Amino acid sequence: MTTSWPPQRTARRPLAPRVATPREPVDPARIGRRVVRRRAKGMDAGAVAAALEDARFDARQDSRHEDLANDVRGPAELAEWERIAQLLADAAPGTVYDLDTDDVVQAELDAAAAAVREAELREAARIAARADEVQALCELGTLEQTEPRTGDEAVRDWWRYRIGTTRISAAR
């Protein structure tokens, strides 16, 4: 059996275009604080004090390296260890660190949830405004001449929902 060389090219389907989704920018300091909190979970004051000493040692070692001069994660980790050590020093003896009882962590979680709610409200307002615009274009008879915009799928879904609920309430 003989085969031709080079192998025959077959018709390939083009790859689907990748759609880049917007991503949250990376914050090394936030990552460092989260790592420290995960490691500290369940530690008592003595274990946190030992981890704080290790973090101080690492900070001294890092200060000797020029490439780590602009690093914000190391100092953020050290500050978080210091904060947790102070939190446990002020607490009753035998208390262990828990994320659920840390007021700073809970405030950050509340702020993140509020930001998500705000983004959802902004998106709903944008969809409603575009739906009103589409309705005005429809009433003017110029909808067919209008170029669709990115996100008009959500407007169509909104209209379908609105028309469906209108029909349901009219049938009652």
Side-chain angles (χ1 to χ4, degrees):
M1 175 174 173
T2 60
T3 58
S4 63
W5 187 258
Q8 298 278 336
R9 298 246 185 230
T10 58
R12 292 186 185 178
R13 292 186 323 177
L15 295 174
R18 295 184 126 192
V19 178
T21 58
R23 294 181 54 174
E24 183 179 325
V26 174
D27 182 7
R30 184 172 148 224
I31 293 169
R33 289 189 298 270
R34 287 174 49 200
V35 166
V36 168
R37 291 170 186 162
R38 256 194 324 266
R39 283 188 53 210
K41 187 174 183 178
M43 287 184 171
D44 62 351
V48 169
L52 175 59
E53 286 306 311
D54 289 342
R56 287 180 177 151
F57 177 78
D58 290 341
R60 284 192 303 274
Q61 294 298 323
D62 291 347
S63 69
R64 297 182 179 130
H65 295 280
E66 186 177 307
D67 60 329
L68 297 175
N70 294 328
D71 181 39
V72 294
R73 181 174 170 173
E77 288 182 5
L78 178 60
E80 190 66 12
W81 279 118
E82 289 171 345
R83 187 188 70 78
I84 292 172
Q86 184 62 44
L87 184 73
L88 291 178
D90 294 341
T95 304
V96 295
Y97 180 72
D98 185 18
L99 293 170
D100 297 334
T101 59
D102 191 344
D103 294 335
V104 173
V105 173
Q106 295 307 313
E108 287 179 3
L109 291 174
D110 291 343
V116 167
R117 283 191 303 273
E118 181 67 28
E120 289 172 350
L121 289 173
R122 277 195 312 271
E123 180 64 12
R126 185 195 66 76
I127 289 171
R130 178 63 178 158
D132 291 342
E133 185 180 341
V134 168
Q135 181 179 9
L137 291 170
C138 186
E139 290 171 358
L140 291 173
T142 58
L143 186 61
E144 289 80 21
Q145 301 164 1
T146 306
E147 290 290 322
R149 292 187 191 164
T150 303
D152 277 353
E153 299 82 17
V155 172
R156 279 193 296 263
D157 293 342
W158 186 83
W159 271 106
R160 285 185 190 125
Y161 172 76
R162 185 172 174 189
I163 291 170
T165 56
T166 304
R167 288 181 184 161
I168 291 171
S169 61
R172 289 183 185 173

